Amino acid sequence: MSFYTDPTPYFDEWRERGPALIETPDGQQSWMISRYDDVVQALGHPCLSSTIIPGGMLNHTDPPEHTRLRKPITRAFSARRMEALRPRIEEIANELLDAWQDAEEVDVIDTFAYPLPITVICELLGVPKEDRDEVQKLTAELLSPATMAEAYGRFAAYAQDLVHRKEPGDDVITELRDEPNLVSTLVLLITAGHETTSQLIGSGLLALLRDPALRRSLVDDPILIPEAVEEFLRHDGPFALGLGRVATADVVIGGVTIPRSSQVTVSLGAANRDPSRYPDPDVLQLGRNPHVGFGHGIHYCVGARLARVEGEIAFGTLLRRFPELVLAAEPEWRESFIRGLGSFRVRPKP
C-alpha cells in the first residue's frame, strides 16, 4: 500500500527501528526520526538545521535570521486578529454549504474543504479573488514530488508580481511590504495558509464519518469540537512525512549518533501515532496529550491559531447543518508532501 494512501504501516516500521538511515517515500536517503520523544528532542536541537534549501523562507532558516523574519509575521497572525476573523469565516462556511442544501452528492474537497481556507487566507493576505485559481495550481505543483523542483520559481515569480501590482490595503501583504524575504514569505503563507487547513477538514471529516459515536457526541455537544480538532490533527495531520533538517555536527538522538552533514527527516505523523505517548493511537479519543501536529519549538506553526479557528468553524457548521451526512464513495488520497484527500464525495442527507 502506498505511503500516501495509508502511512500507518510506515510509521510503525520507522518507530520500531528508531533513528535509522532509510529511503523516504519521496525517494531520498534520510535519517528518520519518528518516536515522540526523539521528535521533540530533534525539533529543539541546535545542531539540526532547518536551512536545507536556499531562498530565506521562514521554515528553512535558523536563528538569528529566523527570529528576525518570524517576528513581523507573528504580529500579523496574532491570536486576537485570528479570533476577530470568526464572523467572516462563519459567513464563508455558510455560503459554501448553501450549495449543499439541495444537492444529492458533493465533493467535500472541491466545494468546502478547499474553498473555505483559500478564501480566508487570500482575504487576510490581500490576494485578489481572480488569482485564486492560479494560486491553487501553483500550490499543487509546489507540493507534488513530481513538480516541486521547478514549481518554486514559478510561485516566487507570481508572488513578486503580486507585490508589485497590488494597491496598499488593510491586509498582511501591505503590513509586510517592507520586510526582507517578502516573496518567499508569501509563498509559504499562501501555501501553508490553506493547504494544511484543507487537509484538516477533509481527513478530520472522513475520520468522523467512520466513527458514528464520536460524530453523535459532537452533534449533541458542540462544545467538544475544539477538542476534536486537536485529535484530528494528532490522528491524521498534514505533515505525515515530516520536516527536513540537516546535521551541522554529529548529533545523538535516541541513543543513536547521526553523522555531521546527514539529511534528517522528522516525522510528525509517526510521533503523533506513538503508542508510548498515546495508547491505542489509531483510535480517535478526545482529551489526549498535546500533539506535535503543528511542530514544536521555534518553528511551531505561525498559523496554528488560524487553522484551529477555521477547523472549529468548519466542523461546527457542517455538523449543525448536515448532522446525518454519509460517505458516498471511497475517498482518494493524493501524492503530496502535505497529506490530503484528492476526492471525497458525500451525500449531505441520507
Side-chain angles (χ1 to χ4, degrees):
M1 180 174 290
S2 164
F3 172 85
Y4 300 100
T5 302
D6 181 10
T8 304
Y10 295 83
F11 293 162
D12 294 342
E13 178 187 347
W14 296 342
R15 286 192 306 268
E16 183 177 348
R17 295 178 65 183
L21 188 62
I22 69 166
E23 182 176 300
T24 62
D26 59 349
Q28 303 297 313
Q29 285 286 317
S30 178
W31 283 83
M32 179 62 70
I33 311 298
S34 53
R35 296 170 180 168
Y36 182 89
D37 290 343
D38 293 348
V39 163
V40 170
Q41 182 186 0
L43 292 178
H45 203 293
C47 293
L48 287 179
S49 172
S50 299
T51 310
I52 57 174
I53 59 172
M57 189 177 287
L58 179 67
N59 59 329
H60 294 306
T61 58
D62 298 321
E65 183 181 11
H66 175 268
T67 307
R68 175 175 56 82
L69 292 173
R70 186 180 177 95
K71 188 174 182 180
I73 301 172
T74 301
R75 287 198 303 267
F77 282 76
S78 68
R80 178 179 295 181
R81 187 176 197 169
M82 299 305 101
E83 289 295 329
L85 290 173
R86 280 187 183 271
R88 176 56 183 149
I89 298 173
E90 290 173 354
E91 181 181 27
I92 296 167
N94 277 297
E95 288 174 354
L96 292 170
L97 291 179
D98 284 345
W100 288 25
Q101 198 62 46
D102 297 319
E104 182 176 334
E105 186 175 306
V106 296
D107 189 307
V108 172
I109 306 302
D110 289 345
T111 64
F112 188 71
Y114 178 79
L116 173 62
I118 190 64
T119 301
V120 173
I121 195 64
C122 284
E123 290 186 359
L124 179 61
L125 294 178
V127 176
K129 185 176 182 179
E130 59 269 22
D131 286 8
R132 290 175 196 169
D133 287 344
E134 178 71 5
V135 166
Q136 180 180 13
K137 177 184 175 183
L138 290 167
T139 300
E141 292 176 350
L142 185 64
L143 295 175
S144 170
T147 56
M148 181 190 70
E150 299 177 357
Y152 179 79
R154 291 193 293 272
F155 210 147
Y158 162 77
Q160 185 73 60
D161 174 69
L162 174 62
V163 171
H164 284 159
R165 64 184 160 87
K166 186 187 173 303
E167 294 294 328
D170 182 19
D171 54 62
V172 171
I173 292 178
T174 300
E175 290 181 30
L176 301 179
R177 185 179 291 272
D178 297 326
E179 294 296 330
N181 303 89
L182 176 58
V183 168
S184 60
T185 296
L186 283 181
V187 173
L188 174 64
L189 294 179
I190 292 171
T191 303
H194 71 276
E195 276 288 342
T196 52
T197 305
S198 175
Q199 188 280 334
L200 163 64
I201 296 170
S203 65
L205 182 60
L206 176 60
L208 204 55
L209 293 183
R210 290 173 169 169
D211 190 332
L214 178 58
R215 177 171 60 170
R216 176 49 54 189
S217 69
L218 298 185
V219 170
D220 293 342
D221 194 359
I223 198 171
L224 297 175
I225 288 175
E227 285 187 46
V229 168
E230 297 303 317
E231 179 63 352
F232 297 149
L233 287 163
R234 180 207 66 82
H235 180 262
D236 201 359
F239 297 106
L241 179 55
L243 307 175
R245 298 289 187 266
V246 62
T248 58
D250 289 356
V251 175
V252 178
I253 300 289
V256 175
T257 299
I258 297 174
R260 182 179 182 273
S261 300
S262 296
Q263 298 296 316
V264 177
T265 300
V266 185
S267 177
L268 306 184
N272 280 333
R273 293 287 189 98
D274 188 340
S276 71
R277 174 76 173 179
Y278 310 101
D280 296 321
D282 299 334
V283 176
L284 289 171
Q285 179 180 314
L286 303 190
R288 296 273 197 179
N289 289 323
H291 57 79
V292 289
F294 287 123
H296 175 78
I298 64 170
H299 284 282
Y300 187 81
C301 177
V302 72
R305 185 63 236 160
L306 176 59
R308 286 183 166 111
V309 170
E310 290 177 306
E312 291 166 13
I313 291 171
F315 289 107
T317 310
L318 271 169
L319 293 174
R320 175 177 55 81
R321 295 190 59 174
F322 300 101
E324 303 298 332
L325 64 87
V326 296
L327 192 64
E330 191 63 23
E332 299 175 5
W333 295 91
R334 63 185 188 180
E335 292 197 5
S336 171
F337 289 112
I338 293 183
R339 176 167 162 78
L341 289 158
S343 176
F344 177 17
R345 302 196 68 80
V346 299
R347 290 192 292 273
K349 299 174 183 179

